[in-house]
Amino acid sequence: MAISNLKKIMLGLTCAATLALGVAQGAAAEDWAPEGPVEFVLHTKPGGGVDVYARTLAKELEPIIGQTVVIVNTPGGGGATQMAKVRTAKPDGLTLGVNTVTHFTGMLTNLRGTFSPDDFEWIALSQIDPILFFVAKDAEMNSITDLVELAKTKGGEINIGGFGPVGSMQNIGMTMLEESAGVKFNWVAFESTPDIIAAVLGGHVDVGVSNLGPALEFFEADRLKGLGVLGEKRLGTLPDMQTFGEQGYDVDTNWLQVRGVFGPKGMPVELQQQIADAIHKAMATDSYQTYARASGVEDSDYGPVEYAEFVRNLTALAEKQLTAAGFISN
């Protein structure tokens, strides 16, 4: 299932980019055949949504490319540790990074001046994945409206836990709700989704924010319940959970989590296209599709030309959201 028409409009892909993509595909007729093991370098700990995605993709990718795909978890610095490793790697396709929106918000905030999108090649976009707000099953809150009403009575003493520092993708999702509802929350930063879930279940934070994938088993075990999803439509796996919009909160539903693959600057476009083709072939397997549908994510077939354009547009959207939230100034 390709990326939705609404998102394509948002990205504003040009005819020139489409033509360039056709040229790149034509130049990349051969399959990707790496000469050694491939490293997927992650910016998160094991067990979170990015890790689950990368390991599922790697398992299906290995028989396609005939090489082992090694997952390397390098949390730290809001992505700085990972990006440094990828940026200094040889542009031979053997060291690749997995990115999320946090990379783009980080490069506009705490990593500004240290890393830029121009430091890397943006190879393939795989997933678009809305975030959701959730609580422990025995919590009194049952909706975003309940959360907002509680925040009004407690004056900013509601602790919301999510991945990354202030200015991260999930944090901006929270600030968008604050702006829409006229309330304030207290952000608690974590480095993995399992840590967020543990904090919610242990009563250390009131509300958690994450994508569905790593939290799904806790919903299925009836240990978590959802308050709302920041997306255009409800999740197929949790159809009873309303969107923010359905509950009366006007937020930009283009603010979605993404997962893509990037590499060091200087990788030939032919190699990038070969890698993108192999990734999308792995995504078409039954096993990957079973995981993706259960996780409530939307697939994307963007290769290097389209993904580079996506990154430019998403960075502009991130800058708009961060400026509106007061995290950066023009």
Side-chain angles (χ1 to χ4, degrees):
M1 177 170 55
I3 188 171
S4 69
N5 289 332
L6 177 61
K7 299 304 182 299
K8 286 187 177 179
I9 292 172
M10 184 272 287
L11 298 176
L13 294 175
T14 62
C15 293
T18 303
L19 177 61
L21 175 64
V23 172
Q25 288 175 327
E30 296 182 359
D31 292 335
W32 183 30
E35 296 183 356
V38 175
E39 287 190 346
F40 272 3
V41 186
L42 314 187
H43 62 296
T44 61
K45 294 180 179 179
V50 175
D51 188 73
V52 173
Y53 155 73
R55 292 181 190 278
T56 304
L57 179 64
K59 181 179 178 182
E60 302 306 316
L61 188 60
E62 287 178 337
I64 294 173
I65 65 175
Q67 289 287 353
T68 300
V69 179
V70 180
I71 305 300
V72 181
N73 298 92
T74 57
T81 303
Q82 176 222 30
M83 283 192 278
K85 182 175 177 64
V86 174
R87 185 169 64 179
T88 57
K90 293 181 179 180
D92 55 9
L94 298 183
T95 303
L96 303 171
V98 174
N99 76 276
T100 66
V101 171
T102 297
H103 287 70
F104 308 120
T105 57
M107 285 187 279
L108 290 167
T109 54
N110 59 303
L111 299 179
R112 192 168 195 147
T114 303
F115 297 100
S116 161
D118 292 338
D119 293 337
F120 306 100
E121 305 291 357
W122 303 96
I123 298 168
L125 178 60
S126 295
Q127 294 182 351
I128 293 176
D129 192 3
I131 59 173
L132 57 111
F133 284 43
F134 57 86
V135 293
K137 185 65 176 182
D138 59 357
E140 294 183 2
M141 289 180 283
N142 293 296
S143 66
I144 293 296
T145 298
D146 288 346
L147 169 60
V148 169
E149 292 302 318
L150 187 60
K152 288 179 179 178
T153 63
K154 290 200 171 185
E157 294 181 8
I158 302 298
N159 293 321
I160 296 184
F163 179 82
V166 169
S168 67
M169 187 270 171
Q170 294 177 6
N171 175 259
I172 288 294
M174 183 194 77
T175 63
M176 291 166 65
L177 176 59
E178 287 179 327
E179 182 179 356
S180 177
V183 296
K184 286 293 182 182
F185 304 111
N186 181 46
W187 179 252
V188 181
F190 292 90
E191 290 192 350
S192 75
T193 304
D195 291 343
I196 299 167
I197 294 170
V200 170
L201 294 176
H204 305 298
V205 297
D206 302 294
V207 179
V209 183
S210 79
N211 307 102
L212 176 59
L216 180 58
E217 64 179 292
F218 294 91
F219 281 98
E220 293 176 337
D222 206 29
R223 299 183 66 190
L224 295 176
K225 60 181 173 182
L227 301 182
V229 58
L230 203 169
E232 291 180 6
K233 57 186 179 180
R234 299 188 189 190
L235 298 172
T237 311
L238 299 175
D240 293 334
M241 182 170 52
Q242 293 184 323
T243 66
F244 282 32
E246 287 180 298
Q247 298 181 62
Y249 301 97
D250 183 19
V251 295
D252 189 339
T253 56
N254 286 320
W255 193 246
L256 298 166
Q257 183 58 279
V258 301
R259 296 190 184 97
V261 174
F262 69 106
K265 195 71 174 177
M267 293 177 63
V269 67
E270 295 86 355
L271 174 59
Q272 293 182 54
Q273 187 64 53
Q274 289 169 354
I275 294 171
D277 289 345
I279 288 171
H280 292 130
K281 186 176 181 179
M283 289 169 56
T285 60
D286 290 342
S287 179
Y288 181 91
Q289 284 296 307
T290 297
Y291 141 76
R293 301 293 74 79
S295 299
V297 300
E298 183 176 352
D299 297 340
S300 169
D301 58 4
Y302 281 7
V305 174
E306 287 178 309
Y307 193 28
E309 181 72 5
F310 180 101
V311 168
R312 284 189 287 272
N313 283 278
L314 185 60
T315 299
L317 177 59
E319 187 164 17
K320 176 183 176 182
Q321 294 291 351
L322 289 165
T323 301
F327 294 127
I328 60 175
S329 58
N330 291 324

